[in-house]
Amino acid sequence: MHSRDLCLQADRQDELANLRHQFSLPHGVIYLDGNSLGVLPKTATARSQHVLEQEWGVGLIRSWNTARWFELPTRLGEKLGRLIGAEAGEVVVTDTTSLNLFKALAAALRIQQAQAPKRRVIVSERDNFPTDLYMMQGMIDFLQQGYELRLIDETLSLEQALTDEVAVLALSHVNYRTGAMYDMAEVTAKAQARGALVIWDLAHAAGAVPVDLNGADADFAVGCTYKYLNGGPGSPAFIWVSARHQDRFWQPLSGWWGHSRPFDMATDYQPAQGIRRFLCGTQPILSMSLVECGLDVALQVDMAALRKKSLALTDLFIQLVEQRCGHHPLTLITPREHASRGSHVSFMHPQGYAVMQALIARGVIGDYREPEVLRFGITPLYLGYADIWDAVEVLRDILDSASWNQPAFMARAAVT
């Protein structure tokens, strides 16, 4: 597309364009950060008001039953599961991605201890999202049983890392920094052939790219709902466990919501059968209720159509940046190959932080990640082709004029 008019024409022909009207987008903003925090579904305002005023304000404690609060984690899990290739009873919405990773990792290690006790290596990648690595390090320290964290990188390939000592492979389906995407089925098969169990982090995949956990024969998966699923800031995460693993271990964070009969108030813990055993404590009902608003929009979309538009928009973004900003020191770190790309695009620039702050000041909101990475989330539910054209035009102007070179744009905020 060589003109804004052609982008507008593509928007008029876009079968997903009407979905934009289901979101509350500020006037004058091009939002390219849905891979960090999704936007507000319009139904969320009324939903939150109803939960506050009616379910809590009027129903009070009765709403655990009358408003079905107690069922929210599994009911939302059923909806979310349809987006990631899950079967009924395999997903629960609860806690945070970090806590759910801890649960999945503990579960996988316990299974391996029973059937292959000499496996003492957890494999991940050096460029995985830091909380994933921190949780793995914390698990190793907590267990004190001689486990080792082995990280794949430029010097150690996945094939080299997957030795007979490996208990668990834990990877992000889509890399948070670069947008690079693994072939889930291929990697899962490769790891399982070597005797490892596999945990996938879907934080940058769920709601952004087609995911088929059962089709890939995966073991465990975790992810958040506040990015492409538009659940709201800090909204509860989710955990998926293959049915074949659900009753083979005791969940390590054995809170009362995971008990088989929580209101028996029994002294001893007896885990629930199935996915409910992955719950811990009382759920955050208000934020959990809002998750449903984002899921209901996502479920209106055919994932193949969403993926097609995502690839078209990311292709256009890469093309326009290289054509119109190519004389500046920008380096694309996102794969060009469609099969290897998620739904965000990242460029490195020596002054990436300041450039991003200048963009945000002009109403083009992306984010920055160390080192030097300008990250742009391309969310097809509410972005169009003209948005991409206009965003790149602002980027070009900022780079050509060097307007990023101001003290205000250099000052680091707590959140980048």
Side-chain angles (χ1 to χ4, degrees), residues 12 58 120 129 149 153 157 170 177 259 268 281 288 293 325 362 405:
R12 288 191 291 269
V58 177
R120 285 289 189 271
F129 190 72
L149 179 58
D153 54 21
S157 69
R177 194 196 317 267
H259 196 282
D268 296 325
M288 186 165 285
C293 301
C325 308
R362 294 275 297 273
N405 192 13

Side-chain angles (χ1 to χ4, degrees), residues 348-409:
M348 294 184 72
H349 186 282
Q351 296 295 331
Y353 180 82
V355 172
M356 182 53 69
Q357 300 316 300
L359 279 165
I360 292 171
R362 294 275 297 273
V364 178
I365 302 179
D367 65 18
Y368 172 81
R369 291 292 178 265
E370 294 288 357
E372 302 181 352
V373 176
L374 295 155
R375 197 173 65 157
F376 303 93
I378 311 299
T379 309
L381 290 177
Y382 49 79
L383 288 174
Y385 297 90
D387 292 321
I388 300 301
W389 180 277
D390 292 343
V392 175
E393 178 58 23
V394 174
L395 175 62
R396 181 204 60 76
D397 183 65
I398 287 171
L399 293 175
D400 285 352
S401 66
S403 61
W404 55 264
N405 192 13
Q406 300 179 36
F409 297 147

